[in-house]
Amino acid sequence: MSFPVAEEAIQNTTEEVEDIVDPWNVASTSDKGIDYDKLIRRFGSSKISPELIARIESIIKRPVHYFIRR
């Protein structure tokens, strides 16, 4: 009898497991934590620069939310 879930768990222990980042969870397999620079490269996005914040503020005519600045 085969147990697919158990086989998958065994494969994950032998392979390198990557960080898990989705809209609901953030988990790292490393002691260093999440490598956000790696995620930025992987998904082709970019960091929010001070210039971009200024551009957004000029468009919306008010300060951006403080989470954007963080």
Side-chain angles (χ1 to χ4, degrees), residues 6 11 13 15 18-19 21 29 35 37 40 42-43 45 65:
Q11 289 175 351
T13 59
E15 296 174 3
E18 292 193 10
D19 297 336
V21 178
T29 57
D35 185 355
D37 290 328
I40 288 170
R42 179 177 177 191
F43 293 108
S45 59
H65 193 276

Side-chain angles (χ1 to χ4, degrees), residues 5-65:
V5 175
E7 289 174 13
E8 182 179 331
I10 291 168
Q11 289 175 351
N12 285 340
T13 59
T14 59
E15 296 174 3
E16 183 180 329
V17 179
E18 292 193 10
D19 297 336
I20 297 170
V21 178
D22 62 35
W24 303 276
N25 302 299
V26 176
S28 175
T29 57
S30 159
D31 291 338
K32 296 179 182 179
I34 302 296
D35 185 355
Y36 286 102
D37 290 328
K38 180 180 175 184
L39 291 172
I40 288 170
R41 287 189 306 274
R42 179 177 177 191
F43 293 108
S45 59
S46 61
K47 292 183 179 182
I48 298 174
S49 66
E51 294 81 19
L52 181 57
I53 291 174
R55 183 174 174 207
I56 293 169
E57 289 177 335
S58 71
I59 292 170
I60 64 173
K61 306 288 190 236
R62 61 183 179 161
V64 296
H65 193 276

